[in-house]
Amino acid sequence: MSVRTLVNRFVLGALGSTALIAAGAPASAQGVVNVYTNREPGLYSATLDDFTKATGIKVNAIFSEQGLSERIKAEGENSPADVLITVDIGRLQEALDLGITQPLKSQALEAAIPAQLRDPEGRWFALSMRARAVYASKDRVKDTAITYEDLADPKWKGKLCTRSFQHQYNLALTAAMIIKNGEAKTEEWLKGIKANLAKKPSGGDRDVAKDIMAGVCDIGLGNTYYVGLMTNGTNPDQKKWAEAIHVILPTFQNGGTHVNVSGIALMKHAPNKANAVKLMEYMTSPEAQHVFADVNYEYPVRAGVAVNPLVKSFGDLKRDTMSMSDIGKARAKASELVDKVGVDR
């Protein structure tokens, strides 16, 4: 049975943990590793298959968009989860806050992943990056450079679109703004963002591109990888949305471009710890990193792995050097400020 079949079979809530264990009976003497993930299975199911071919370790995967950390917490010492693969620094921080991870010392992971992209205590490791970019109208915006601070400039009044600022992507950006400029200046920045909105925050990053094409706004916030998915996907409407925009990689004043991450963490009660560590290290191998780059249009965390040509066309990524761990810790304050200013209202 393929990993993709396993993922589809063990959708969260459809079967309990005991069913996962039963399905994970070793196919060989090398045993199994149980993966809980809220990343779309199609993204890296081939990578998991390749891992099995290379190691003889069978991968059982359980997929759900929501609630996996809480489920692992509830399962306690009986949890079959070996690793959690998730998106956004907020969900990685949530796993830490729930106490479901354990620290790992791995020379392979530390060599592959820059220090800013992993927990200082080894409780999570980034697997890929996505930049929080500006989508801009090809017809109406001639700017080729912008700072995140510039988004609050009155020149953009009535011209800015975004998804909810309580969404994990914008919370991470706001948390980074707090680290870079402090709470007071971030609050003023949020007020400027609110004043510049063309419409109430709604939808997702793809909808930002859609609204720009429709003339609702001229610029908006969106993750870089969505442009690849729209451009090379099967939805003809989304291709038109992508064609209507150009991508600007913003920077902080006196800083670089804000990135968020997908990541992996070793679970506290991992029953197959040795196999889990092998999988974690494999996910940062050049072969696996190419999958993140070419299938989901993300930035690899491992140096020397080429980005997809479309993503490369956005310009060279000059990632800000602030710690993702610090961003995770600042998200709660970011959420408070977003509510205080009422950006989403």
Side-chain angles (χ1 to χ4, degrees), residues 20-324:
L20 176 63
I21 294 171
S28 72
Q30 301 305 314
V32 302
V33 60
N34 299 320
V35 175
Y36 280 37
T37 180
N38 63 13
R39 297 222 68 182
E40 289 294 337
L43 169 59
Y44 52 83
S45 60
T47 301
L48 300 182
D49 283 333
D50 289 342
F51 170 75
T52 297
K53 293 175 183 176
T55 64
I57 299 169
K58 183 180 179 182
V59 181
N60 297 323
I62 184 167
F63 166 77
S64 177
E65 292 184 356
Q66 302 290 337
L68 285 178
S69 291
E70 292 85 353
R71 173 169 179 160
I72 295 169
K73 177 69 173 180
E75 290 170 343
E77 294 181 4
N78 295 319
S79 177
D82 291 310
V83 298
L84 173 68
I85 299 176
T86 188
V87 291
D88 183 68
I89 183 57
R91 290 185 174 178
L92 292 167
Q93 183 65 43
E94 178 186 44
L96 298 192
D97 293 343
L98 289 173
I100 62 173
T101 67
Q102 63 172 294
L104 172 63
K105 185 72 173 177
S106 165
Q107 291 183 351
L109 291 173
E110 292 174 6
I113 305 171
Q116 298 93 341
L117 301 177
R118 47 185 164 88
D119 178 64
E121 298 179 29
R123 296 170 297 178
W124 61 260
F125 299 84
L127 296 177
S128 61
M129 299 180 290
R130 61 280 301 275
R132 196 69 178 145
V134 166
Y135 298 170
S137 168
K138 284 182 178 178
D139 296 332
R140 301 183 299 277
V141 178
K142 303 307 177 184
D143 304 59
T144 58
I146 192 171
T147 68
Y148 293 109
E149 290 86 351
D150 287 341
L151 295 175
D153 190 314
K155 71 175 283 188
W156 300 114
K157 186 174 179 62
K159 297 180 179 181
L160 175 65
C161 286
T162 181
R163 73 194 310 159
S164 167
F165 250 74
Q166 284 291 1
H167 187 274
Q168 55 193 4
Y169 300 155
N170 284 335
L171 279 183
L173 173 59
T174 304
M177 186 68 71
I178 291 173
I179 295 170
K180 187 65 68 173
N181 294 319
E183 292 181 23
K185 289 185 178 179
T186 299
E187 182 175 341
E188 291 305 307
W189 177 73
L190 289 171
K191 290 178 181 177
I193 293 288
K194 181 177 174 64
N196 286 344
L197 291 174
K199 55 179 287 192
K200 181 178 178 180
S202 62
D205 288 1
R206 289 180 176 93
D207 294 298
V208 170
K210 177 182 179 182
D211 286 340
I212 290 173
M213 186 190 75
V216 175
C217 47
D218 289 349
I219 63 170
L221 284 166
N223 281 351
T224 44
Y225 69 90
Y226 283 113
V227 181
L229 296 177
M230 290 188 291
T231 300
N232 295 317
T234 59
N235 187 314
D237 290 333
Q238 291 188 11
K239 290 183 180 181
K240 294 177 182 177
W241 304 345
E243 290 169 356
I245 65 171
H246 66 96
V247 176
I248 302 173
L249 294 178
T251 61
F252 291 104
Q253 292 174 0
N254 302 316
T257 298
H258 166 68
V259 300
N260 207 324
V261 297
S262 72
I264 191 167
L266 179 64
M267 294 297 92
K268 185 176 182 180
H269 302 293
N272 306 289
K273 180 177 178 179
N275 289 347
V277 172
K278 290 179 181 178
L279 176 63
M280 294 173 73
E281 293 176 346
Y282 183 83
M283 294 294 275
T284 57
S285 68
E287 296 80 8
Q289 288 286 291
H290 276 295
V291 173
F292 289 108
D294 289 330
V295 176
N296 207 43
Y297 307 98
E298 294 179 289
Y299 292 94
V301 295
R302 187 184 186 101
V305 178
V307 300
N308 183 272
L310 174 62
V311 178
K312 182 68 175 177
S313 73
F314 303 156
D316 292 335
L317 176 68
K318 298 177 181 178
R319 174 177 57 84
D320 196 88
T321 58
M322 73 176 69
S323 165
M324 290 303 304

